[in-house]
Amino acid sequence: MSSFACWNLSLTLLVLFCSPGSGEKAFEVYIRSEKQIVKATEAWRVNCSTSCAAPEIGGLETPTNKLMLEEDPHGKWIEFLVSNATVDTVLLCHFTCSGKQQAESFNIRVYEPPAQVTLKLQPPRVFMGEAFTIECKVPSVKPLESLTLSLLCGRETLKNQTFGGAETVPEEVIAIFNSTALKKDGLNFSCQAELDLRPHGGSLYRRISEYQSLEVYGKETLLAERVRSSTSWQRGERKPTRPTLRRWSDVRI
């Protein structure tokens, strides 16, 4: 059994042991965390306190690193520095008063902001009416329900993709957008990743990829290329290879 699983088991047993019986008036335990959501490896303060006038013992249970910073002379509160949380976890403050134990828990979320956003344009050159695909990729981002990937054309947002409901956190997040070239002019695309932690008391993190241009050719370009190719072939010149435009055989004229 892993150490984290063992800690969860001991946490459950402690909560059950600390629960007061029916009709008993228990003292109160309070937990105050400096932050609701923290970056992986970040350190933050947690305060445990109680309404008991003379607690016998108190403390903080957590699978992360902790360091006691300060304690009330009468043991009514203790302040800790907690650090190195890599996954969402539960903090548990507990006190013993007159031989009875009571505890209070607090859920901590762990986030990882988008450090890099990449865009892949496939193919990079098309004729009008042809389809193309844009792939936006962001590595190591969490929580996923706070992430939005957006496809931009210049400064205009074409489409947004959210990831709420994902059960696991993948190593990288990918959004694929399919479209059709309807204009002859070149188009500049970019991908934007936003991690909005403001509902959790955090900040808004934004990262944008480098621009990539889609070259769009009109029908006259294809016709001119066919005429030039046919003329060269009739003169006995070597038949040229097709241009690097993708899906040449599927072009509609």
Side-chain angles (χ1 to χ4, degrees):
M1 183 180 294
S2 67
S3 58
F4 188 77
C6 292
W7 186 85
N8 281 336
L9 178 60
S10 63
L11 173 62
T12 302
L13 293 175
L14 180 59
V15 172
L16 291 175
F17 183 73
C18 294
S19 299
S22 176
E24 295 182 8
K25 184 178 180 180
F27 61 95
E28 298 292 337
V29 172
Y30 310 98
I31 179 170
R32 185 175 71 251
S33 176
E34 181 183 14
K35 297 183 177 182
Q36 301 177 33
I37 187 166
V38 299
K39 188 177 180 180
T41 71
E42 182 180 3
W44 74 101
R45 292 172 178 262
V46 176
N47 184 281
C48 296
S49 60
T50 178
S51 61
C52 178
E56 299 158 22
I57 192 173
L60 173 68
E61 295 297 327
T62 171
T64 64
N65 295 343
K66 65 178 179 180
L67 174 67
M68 189 176 73
L69 298 177
E70 194 175 0
E71 183 178 11
D72 175 62
H74 303 289
K76 296 190 63 175
W77 58 263
I78 313 172
E79 188 163 89
F80 298 88
L81 184 68
V82 182
S83 61
N84 291 333
T86 56
V87 296
D88 295 350
T89 189
V90 179
L91 306 177
L92 188 76
C93 286
H94 61 89
F95 284 89
T96 301
C97 185
S98 300
K100 298 178 181 178
Q101 286 188 319
Q102 183 72 326
E104 186 67 28
S105 63
F106 188 88
N107 294 322
I108 286 290
R109 302 292 305 275
V110 175
Y111 74 92
E112 194 66 45
Q116 182 184 24
V117 184
T118 58
L119 180 150
K120 182 178 179 182
L121 193 59
Q122 187 69 23
R125 296 176 292 278
V126 295
F127 288 110
M128 287 180 56
E130 279 197 313
F132 62 96
T133 299
I134 299 175
E135 179 184 279
C136 298
K137 183 184 298 185
V138 187
S140 304
V141 177
K142 57 184 178 183
L144 288 181
E145 65 267 23
S146 300
L147 175 67
T148 300
L149 278 182
S150 302
L151 174 62
L152 308 179
C153 183
R155 295 185 178 182
E156 180 185 0
T157 300
L158 300 181
K159 192 173 183 180
N160 294 320
Q161 178 69 55
T162 57
F163 303 88
E167 296 181 358
T168 59
V169 179
E171 293 184 359
E172 58 184 20
V173 179
I174 300 176
I176 298 177
F177 303 96
N178 299 309
S179 188
T180 302
L182 301 178
K183 296 181 180 179
K184 181 179 175 181
D185 299 332
L187 302 172
N188 293 322
F189 292 101
S190 63
C191 295
Q192 175 181 276
E194 278 191 351
L195 191 69
D196 191 358
L197 304 178
R198 290 174 295 183
H200 305 287
S203 303
L204 174 66
Y205 296 87
R206 182 182 292 116
R207 182 76 65 173
I208 302 178
S209 71
E210 294 183 356
Y211 282 98
Q212 288 195 25
S213 296
L214 176 71
E215 299 179 20
V216 183
Y217 296 92
K219 297 178 181 179
E220 65 275 8
T221 303
L222 177 59
L223 292 174
E225 178 62 26
R226 287 181 173 177
V227 170
R228 187 185 69 81
S229 176
S230 176
T231 302
S232 299
W233 180 254
Q234 292 175 2
R235 291 175 181 174
E237 299 177 5
R238 182 182 177 184
K239 188 175 181 179
T241 58
R242 289 181 173 179
T244 55
L245 297 174
R246 303 298 181 89
R247 297 179 61 192
W248 180 276
S249 60
D250 294 334
V251 174
R252 298 191 298 271
I253 60 173

PDB file of all heavy atoms in Angstrom, residues 83 207 238:
ATOM      1  N   SER A  83       4.167  22.956   2.511  1.00  0.00           N
ATOM      2  CA  SER A  83       4.800  23.079   1.192  1.00  0.00           C
ATOM      3  C   SER A  83       4.825  21.743   0.455  1.00  0.00           C
ATOM      4  O   SER A  83       4.528  20.691   1.032  1.00  0.00           O
ATOM      5  CB  SER A  83       6.232  23.611   1.336  1.00  0.00           C
ATOM      6  OG  SER A  83       7.019  22.717   2.106  1.00  0.00           O
ATOM      7  N   ARG A 207      -1.414  32.487 -21.848  1.00  0.00           N
ATOM      8  CA  ARG A 207      -0.236  32.248 -22.678  1.00  0.00           C
ATOM      9  C   ARG A 207      -0.699  32.082 -24.128  1.00  0.00           C
ATOM     10  O   ARG A 207      -1.690  31.399 -24.394  1.00  0.00           O
ATOM     11  CB  ARG A 207       0.499  30.996 -22.212  1.00  0.00           C
ATOM     12  CG  ARG A 207       1.769  30.684 -22.977  1.00  0.00           C
ATOM     13  CD  ARG A 207       2.908  31.575 -22.582  1.00  0.00           C
ATOM     14  NE  ARG A 207       3.315  31.362 -21.204  1.00  0.00           N
ATOM     15  CZ  ARG A 207       4.384  31.937 -20.667  1.00  0.00           C
ATOM     16  NH1 ARG A 207       5.134  32.750 -21.382  1.00  0.00           N
ATOM     17  NH2 ARG A 207       4.695  31.720 -19.392  1.00  0.00           N
ATOM     18  N   ARG A 238      11.152  18.448 -69.284  1.00  0.00           N
ATOM     19  CA  ARG A 238      10.790  17.479 -68.251  1.00  0.00           C
ATOM     20  C   ARG A 238       9.560  17.968 -67.502  1.00  0.00           C
ATOM     21  O   ARG A 238       9.481  19.128 -67.128  1.00  0.00           O
ATOM     22  CB  ARG A 238      11.951  17.277 -67.282  1.00  0.00           C
ATOM     23  CG  ARG A 238      11.671  16.241 -66.216  1.00  0.00           C
ATOM     24  CD  ARG A 238      12.847  16.138 -65.275  1.00  0.00           C
ATOM     25  NE  ARG A 238      12.558  15.193 -64.204  1.00  0.00           N
ATOM     26  CZ  ARG A 238      13.399  14.960 -63.192  1.00  0.00           C
ATOM     27  NH1 ARG A 238      14.561  15.605 -63.148  1.00  0.00           N
ATOM     28  NH2 ARG A 238      13.069  14.100 -62.260  1.00  0.00           N
TER      29      ARG A 238
END
